[in-house]
Amino acid sequence: MKNIAIRLSAFLPILVVLLVAACTAPQADEATAANSPLIIRTEQVASGPERYVATLAIEGMGCEMMCGTKIAGALNGLDGVLTTDIDFKGEGELSNAVVEFDATTVNEQQMIEVVTALASGHYKVKAVEVVHFKPDANSKGSEEENDEKGISLKPSLGYRLPNIFSVFRFLF
């Protein structure tokens, strides 16, 4: 019994060092992951021209007038940004900036950098959803899809994707 106790006591310091090292290493990775926003890219088929829309979930907005105007103005100042709308949820909650942009001129990383640079880093982008709306190749006005009254005979899906940022509101 003493031999087992002596052997365990020899391995105990090594075990403690490994345990401490294992507990501290992921924290650095978690801190890096916490600072970088989650970026989600999707594609949807839609009627009309091709376009890109990014929804940025922003933390730190206290009001719609001052904060929202400042963020919208900074995003509209980027080359390639076509429109910016602010969806203010309330102080202490994640608000959204919905940006329609030209993907050949600007990308979501540049938009994130502009927002986080405002007010000495007061605003933080927690997540970005980029949706690429691609034109429907079959919507050329073919006569098989329309009857004589102009009603579409092609079945359409009535499903709308939920806003993924509503989930983040409860997590942060």
Side-chain angles (χ1 to χ4, degrees), residues 14 16 19 27 34 43 58 60 63 72 84 94 105 109 113 117 128-129 131 135 139 154 160:
I14 295 171
V16 169
L19 233 153
Q27 290 177 353
E43 290 187 357
I58 302 171
C63 66
T84 303
L94 289 177
T105 309
Q109 193 60 41
E113 290 170 4
V128 179
E129 179 185 26
V131 181
S139 67
K154 182 179 177 184
R160 184 174 167 198

Side-chain angles (χ1 to χ4, degrees), residues 18 49 53 55 60 62-63 70 73 75 78 81-82 87 132 140 142 150 161 164-165 167-168 171:
L18 288 175
V53 177
T55 304
C63 66
K70 184 184 289 188
L75 288 169
L78 287 172
V81 172
L82 305 173
D87 181 19
H132 176 203
K140 302 285 187 213
S142 64
L161 292 174
I164 63 160
F165 295 115
V167 174
F168 293 115
L171 295 176

Side-chain angles (χ1 to χ4, degrees), residues 40-63:
I40 299 171
R41 293 180 185 88
T42 59
E43 290 187 357
Q44 289 185 1
V45 177
S47 60
E50 179 178 30
R51 62 192 179 107
Y52 288 84
V53 177
T55 304
L56 288 78
I58 302 171
E59 178 182 74
M61 290 178 64
C63 66

Side-chain angles (χ1 to χ4, degrees), residues 139-155:
S139 67
K140 302 285 187 213
S142 64
E143 295 176 13
E144 298 88 38
E145 295 178 5
N146 297 328
D147 66 359
E148 57 275 354
K149 294 181 183 177
I151 299 172
S152 176
L153 299 176
K154 182 179 177 184

Side-chain angles (χ1 to χ4, degrees), residues 70-101:
K70 184 184 289 188
I71 291 171
L75 288 169
N76 284 331
L78 287 172
D79 288 336
V81 172
L82 305 173
T83 61
T84 303
D85 292 320
I86 302 295
D87 181 19
F88 182 70
K89 301 291 185 192
E91 188 173 351
E93 295 186 31
L94 289 177
S95 297
N96 296 328
V98 181
V99 182
E100 185 174 349
F101 66 99

